[in-house]
Amino acid sequence: MTQDTTPAGTGTGPVAGSGTSPGSDPGTDPGSVDDRMVVAEHVHKHFGRLHVLRGINLEVRRGEVMCVVGPSGSGKSTFLRCINHLEKIDSGRLWVDGQLMGYRQKGGKLYELHDSQVAAQRRGIGMVFQNFNLFPHMSVLGNVMEAPVQVNREKRAVARDKAMRLLERVGLAEKAPTYPRQLSGGQQQRVAIARALAMEPDLMLFDEPTSALDPELVGEVLAVMKDLAEEGMTMVVVTHEMGFAREVGDSLVFMDDGVVVESGPPREVLANPREERTKAFLSRVL
């Protein structure tokens, strides 16, 4: 499949895997001049006649925690899934760590990569979903070990040691032999975070990770995420937890109707929103 998706008035992006990123000099090492982990340029996405994303432009710096908020149906989760190509964009460009996600570009056209190539790109991206998505027939330890063994071909002993360290990191080492059905929702979500970290990602995506939890379990998951942020993990977090966004986020993006309405430092946006749509939303959730 090919797409001619060069936006009017913009330059063309790099070929995936070339080591360059949008706006950088192809003759230099982008790591030395460009600290952008995610770059979205004019990203559009349709589901049939429904225009879900309407030209998203944003950047996430390395080590940044970006919190994305907005009403249901605003396109937040769809955009998150587009970042790692779980959803295919219809036009625009999305780069992660200097690679054009899901496509290679030639002559102003995008050519879709093979599934194996997309899977290789995703190895550097961890994702945590609303509903945990743990393997019910595997123990907690097995869930965390599975991808390193099957995808990265790690030796089981090595993967086991790493998995135990990660479970200890999220406070669940003693739950290693148990099964997901024996855990609370908060514990399952912490296992899901450990499982994502087992692939040693450079970027973590969180899709409303606390929305399926009872209120008393939310704090234990947010505490793990806060620890990751303090360690410098680059994170994009779709969330309704405004306290987390205010305390932990480096940037806050408010989306509505498929567009970025407003963005800026979380405390500034939450305390003094500029746009009427932002003000109306925050008046209902704060």
Side-chain angles (χ1 to χ4, degrees), residues 160-191:
R160 185 186 187 283
D161 288 345
K162 181 168 69 175
M164 287 302 301
R165 289 195 301 271
L166 288 169
L167 288 172
E168 183 174 359
R169 182 177 179 181
V170 300
L172 291 173
E174 76 283 359
K175 299 294 186 180
T178 63
Y179 286 80
R181 65 180 179 276
Q182 299 170 289
L183 304 179
S184 71
Q187 289 171 331
Q188 290 187 60
Q189 195 61 294
R190 283 187 281 157
V191 173

Side-chain angles (χ1 to χ4, degrees), residues 65 67 222 225-226 235 237 241-249:
V65 178
C67 294
L222 294 181
M225 294 169 63
K226 182 178 179 181
M235 299 160 61
V237 184
E241 301 293 337
M242 299 300 167
F244 175 85
R246 182 187 292 109
E247 180 182 357
V248 180

Side-chain angles (χ1 to χ4, degrees), residues 9 21 37 65 118 126 129 184 211 219 239 270 277:
S21 55
M37 176 62 75
V65 178
V118 175
F129 299 88
S184 71
S211 64
T239 184
L270 293 174
R277 290 160 77 184

Side-chain angles (χ1 to χ4, degrees), residues 7-82:
T10 66
T12 58
V15 174
S18 68
T20 63
S21 55
S24 67
D25 180 355
T28 60
D29 175 8
S32 64
V33 297
D34 194 341
D35 67 348
R36 295 176 293 180
M37 176 62 75
V38 179
V39 179
E41 292 184 352
H42 306 283
V43 171
H44 289 258
K45 173 65 181 178
H46 296 78
F47 291 112
R49 295 184 178 181
L50 183 62
H51 197 172
V52 180
L53 300 178
R54 300 169 177 264
I56 300 294
N57 294 286
L58 58 76
E59 298 176 354
V60 183
R61 303 284 169 174
R62 298 179 192 276
E64 177 181 349
V65 178
M66 174 178 284
C67 294
V68 184
V69 303
S72 297
S74 59
K76 308 182 302 297
S77 294
T78 297
F79 176 67
L80 204 69
R81 292 171 64 86
C82 287

